[in-house]
């Protein structure tokens, strides 16, 4: 249950953050806004690391395998950029709807095929039907 609550909070925070970042972008530029967002996130993480007992060290990162998973931060910069751009062009509701749709499809494929070390799961028609129903909902929502 707590995982579901945390996921709901995450979705709300991501939506609010996207709107705020789009506002900063209009006044400062896309890369300045994205860089500031990432810098502020770094500072919050460093503060949280100190406040929560310093779990892990920088040297622990050198032992992470496979090495490509360390590129998550670089993906974060592009995520920030694409969220800001989509919010500016589509507005919050349509933007988040399409982002969540893409996340759902990508996450299901990652689970289905066991990509990036995720536990592989078996194909289930009900999950595919759920994705199709979600996509139909997106189309209905966007329909003018």
């Amino acid at each position: 249950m707590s995982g579901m609550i945390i996921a709901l909070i995450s979705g709300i925070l991501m939506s609010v953050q996207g709107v705020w970042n789009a506002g900063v972008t209009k006044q400062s530029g896309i890369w300045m806004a994205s860089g500031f967002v990432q810098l502020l996130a770094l500072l919050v993480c460093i503060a949280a690391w100190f406040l929560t007992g310093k779990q892990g060290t920088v040297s622990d990162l050198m032992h992470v395998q496979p090495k490509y998973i360390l590129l998550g931060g670089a993906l974060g910069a592009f995520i920030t950029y694409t969220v800001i751009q989509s919010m500016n062009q589509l507005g919050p509701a349509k933007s988040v709807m399409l982002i969540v749709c893409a996340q759902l499809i990508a996450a299901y494929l990652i689970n289905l095929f066991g990509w990036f070390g995720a536990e592989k799961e078996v194909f289930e028609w009900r999950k595919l039907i759920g994705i199709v129903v979600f996509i139909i909902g997106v189309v209905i929502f966007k329909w003018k």
Side-chain angles (χ1 to χ4, degrees):
M1 182 66 159
S2 69
M4 290 175 62
I5 292 169
I6 291 169
L8 292 171
I9 292 169
S10 175
I12 293 166
L13 292 175
M14 288 169 56
S15 295
V16 172
Q17 181 198 33
V19 173
W20 288 0
N21 291 349
V24 173
T25 297
K26 290 176 184 174
Q27 299 177 52
S28 67
I30 186 72
W31 290 112
M32 185 54 63
S34 296
F36 179 76
V37 166
Q38 299 300 323
L39 176 63
L40 195 55
L42 172 64
L43 296 175
V44 169
C45 288
I46 290 170
W49 182 70
F50 276 105
L51 293 172
T52 61
K54 298 182 183 177
Q55 179 187 5
T57 65
V58 174
S59 65
D60 291 338
L61 294 173
M62 301 307 126
H63 303 290
V64 169
Q65 292 296 328
K67 293 292 184 202
Y68 71 83
I69 64 175
L70 291 169
L71 295 173
L75 287 179
F78 290 106
I79 291 166
T80 301
Y81 172 82
T82 56
V83 169
I84 291 170
Q85 290 292 77
S86 66
M87 290 275 182
N88 280 333
Q89 294 176 22
L90 301 174
K94 288 180 184 174
S95 177
V96 170
M97 195 170 39
L98 292 172
I99 289 167
V100 172
C101 186
Q103 285 178 318
L104 177 62
I105 292 167
Y108 183 60
L109 290 173
I110 289 167
N111 279 141
L112 192 61
F113 295 108
W115 292 336
F116 311 118
E119 190 172 327
K120 194 173 182 178
E121 66 178 50
V122 297
F123 174 80
E124 294 183 47
W125 279 104
R126 69 179 179 83
K127 291 182 181 180
L128 181 61
I129 291 168
I131 290 172
V132 170
V133 168
F134 186 93
I135 293 169
I136 290 169
V138 168
V139 170
I140 292 170
F141 189 90
K142 286 189 60 154
W143 201 338
K144 292 184 180 186

